Amino acid sequence: MFVAALIDLGADHHEIARQLRLLHVDGYHLHVARRSKMAIEGIKFDVHVEADGPCQHDHGHEHGHEHAHDHGHGHGHEHGHEHGHGHEHGHGHGHDHGHGHGRGFAEIRRLIESSKLSPWVQQRAVSVFHRIAVAEGKIHGVEPERVTFHEVGAVDSIVDIVAACIALELLGRPKVTAGEVVEGTGFVRCAHGRMPLPAPATLEILGARGIPTSQCEESHEMLTPTGAALLAEFAESFGPMRGVVGARVGYGVGTRDHRTRANVLRAILWEASSEGADRGWETDRVVVLETNIDDATAEVMGHALEKAMRLGALDAFHAPVQMKKNRPGVLFTVVCREEDADDLTEFLLVETTAFGVRRTLAERRKLAREVVTVRTPHGQVQVKLGRLGGRVVQASPEFESCRSVAAMAGVPLREVMASAMVGIMELKAP
């Protein structure tokens, strides 16, 4: 489905098939056709291996070659982004690694690296397989180099994974982002027996990359280990789309029919919004935690501010507010990284008298920061600079540095700070 969605975006399936032949892997043929699921039309990409049995199509096939229905699409943009939603492969491959008499990871790596595929495709394809081998090796207690892939699964997986890398290169190696990863519930049957979803290898691959996963009500597997490895290798971030401009949409159609959603993988090729792109500022996301408090002493509030900063808050402050029933109180606010939000939420509920904490995800636009040293008549002082597009637009003497220099020199603090400002002006001068 991943390859199919990229083909629908404009990756030439004839070129994908041509490059796949550089691998010298036989015993398979490809089908590329337009299909639909729940009234959404897209591309159906199938890898048929010999063990699949006779092909249920009206035309013959030559192993190692591809057959397709024509579908006219332009080529991808070199600076696009691919944003995937819903990750499921129609094949059952990916669960039979670790047993059987097939190709081992070391052999597959040699096969890919000895081909005439581009160095980028070789490196990324080997890396995807390595993620699967590491996961399977951890599950079965063997070294990744010794993990063996079942013969049929190996052919299927090699073609799927290498084709995905080829397709991304044909689209200009775009930056890849993805939606939140969602898996189904229930069980899947694999070579190791009946296993709960997410499948063990899928969970290991996602966990190794630190990709958060949730489950939905669909009682089917929606993400295979192969799909998880592709996500782990290529997706740089996971979450809602932001700043999408000039989107081109492609759909990869799956085999199974889902109850609550169309079984399609959506890929979006887009350009980042030009808004703020050339302004030179940095961006990130933070969590803002807030709670209203009207029954805590000033000492408790002061203690909470100090401890919040020690626990990793980027900023913490409180301000007077007029609360319900005309009661005076304070608005306690903590700004923190997303990964620290739960710990700081617990801290607010335990250390203050709050009964609840509001949580907001916010975007920041900020200057690139740099700390430099300037000379003053009293000693060297650290100064924080803020750059916008390489240009210094803000500068501020570091208080603790000035206080230390003032104490050492035996002069007033304001005199050191004034001298530091003179040094800053000289620093900003062209």
Side-chain angles (χ1 to χ4, degrees):
M1 292 174 68
F2 184 80
V3 177
L6 298 184
I7 291 173
D8 205 23
L9 282 179
D12 188 342
H13 64 272
H14 296 292
E15 180 60 20
I16 293 173
R18 185 193 71 79
Q19 292 195 38
L20 283 172
R21 289 194 286 273
L22 299 176
L23 279 172
H24 303 295
V25 174
D26 296 319
Y28 76 92
H29 48 264
L30 307 181
H31 288 282
V32 181
R34 296 205 69 81
R35 294 287 186 267
S36 64
K37 283 285 181 184
M38 295 179 68
I40 297 179
E41 184 177 284
I43 293 296
K44 185 76 164 61
F45 176 84
D46 288 307
V47 182
H48 290 278
V49 294
E50 290 179 347
D52 287 340
C55 180
Q56 303 299 315
H57 290 261
D58 295 333
H59 49 277
H61 303 280
E62 181 180 351
H63 287 186
H65 293 74
E66 58 85 30
H67 302 261
H69 297 276
D70 184 51
H71 57 283
H73 291 280
H75 293 286
H77 194 283
E78 291 187 356
H79 302 287
H81 296 243
E82 184 277 330
H83 198 100
H85 294 272
H87 315 283
E88 179 264 10
H89 287 259
H91 304 292
H93 65 281
H95 299 298
D96 48 4
H97 309 311
H99 294 286
H101 304 285
R103 291 184 175 93
F105 168 65
E107 181 184 351
I108 292 173
R109 181 176 60 190
R110 287 193 297 270
L111 177 70
I112 295 172
E113 292 179 344
S114 64
S115 72
K116 293 185 178 180
L117 292 164
S118 75
W120 187 86
V121 169
Q122 290 184 26
Q123 186 268 321
R124 302 311 289 265
V126 169
S127 182
V128 173
F129 261 107
H130 183 257
R131 292 179 185 275
I132 300 174
V134 169
E136 293 286 355
K138 182 178 179 182
I139 293 169
H140 303 298
V142 299
E143 294 296 322
E145 294 291 327
R146 297 179 57 197
V147 170
T148 300
F149 296 82
H150 185 274
E151 184 66 40
V152 174
V155 172
D156 191 330
S157 296
I158 289 171
V159 174
D160 267 349
I161 289 170
V162 176
C165 298
I166 293 170
L168 283 171
E169 185 168 59
L170 292 176
L171 291 175
R173 305 181 192 175
K175 175 182 178 181
V176 178
T177 64
E180 295 181 356
V181 178
V182 178
E183 173 62 297
T185 56
F187 295 83
V188 63
R189 291 192 178 278
C190 57
H192 316 305
R194 189 167 180 260
M195 306 295 291
L197 294 174
T202 299
L203 201 57
E204 287 290 345
I205 292 167
L206 297 176
R209 170 66 200 282
I211 300 172
T213 310
S214 58
Q215 291 181 288
C216 68
E217 68 278 13
E218 285 292 339
S219 57
H220 299 289
E221 182 181 40
M222 299 178 66
L223 179 64
T224 66
T226 300
L230 288 170
L231 277 177
E233 176 66 21
F234 291 106
E236 298 183 15
S237 61
F238 297 84
M241 292 180 289
R242 294 184 295 167
V244 174
V245 174
R248 180 188 301 168
V249 183
Y251 294 98
V253 178
T255 301
R256 184 184 299 119
D257 290 321
H258 288 167
R259 293 184 299 107
T260 62
R261 64 200 71 198
N263 185 18
V264 296
L265 174 69
R266 183 175 67 184
I268 304 172
L269 194 65
W270 53 284
E271 297 179 14
S273 170
S274 60
E275 182 181 354
D278 298 322
R279 296 182 184 268
W281 53 45
E282 296 180 349
T283 64
D284 67 356
R285 295 199 305 178
V286 294
V287 172
V288 180
L289 305 175
E290 293 181 328
T291 184
N292 291 10
I293 299 174
D294 65 351
D295 55 354
T297 66
E299 290 83 0
V300 170
M301 290 290 94
H303 166 74
L305 285 177
E306 292 178 1
K307 188 167 182 179
M309 298 302 295
R310 291 199 304 270
L311 290 175
L314 299 173
D315 198 2
F317 54 91
H318 58 73
V321 293
Q322 193 73 15
M323 298 173 57
K324 62 184 180 181
K325 300 182 181 179
N326 293 320
R327 292 195 303 246
V330 297
L331 173 64
F332 196 106
T333 304
V334 173
V335 181
C336 63
R337 301 176 185 85
E338 292 182 75
E339 58 267 27
D340 297 328
D342 285 342
D343 288 342
L344 284 163
T345 298
E346 181 179 357
F347 153 74
L348 288 173
L349 293 172
V350 172
E351 292 280 351
T352 74
T353 56
F355 271 72
V357 176
R358 298 182 295 276
R359 178 170 173 166
T360 305
L361 188 63
E363 293 184 358
R364 291 198 301 179
R365 302 292 185 268
K366 57 184 183 179
L367 300 176
R369 302 180 186 186
E370 178 186 2
V371 176
V372 300
T373 300
V374 299
R375 294 182 180 275
T376 75
H378 313 291
Q380 292 187 336
V381 174
Q382 289 186 325
V383 173
K384 181 168 61 179
L385 303 180
R387 298 183 183 274
L388 185 63
R391 179 168 53 96
V392 176
V393 295
Q394 298 288 351
S396 174
E398 291 284 70
F399 176 78
E400 292 298 335
S401 178
C402 290
R403 183 165 67 173
S404 176
V405 169
M408 293 287 291
V411 298
L413 172 62
R414 59 183 179 83
E415 188 173 328
V416 175
M417 298 190 73
S419 298
M421 290 302 299
V422 173
I424 289 173
M425 297 304 295
E426 294 175 353
L427 191 65
K428 294 175 66 175

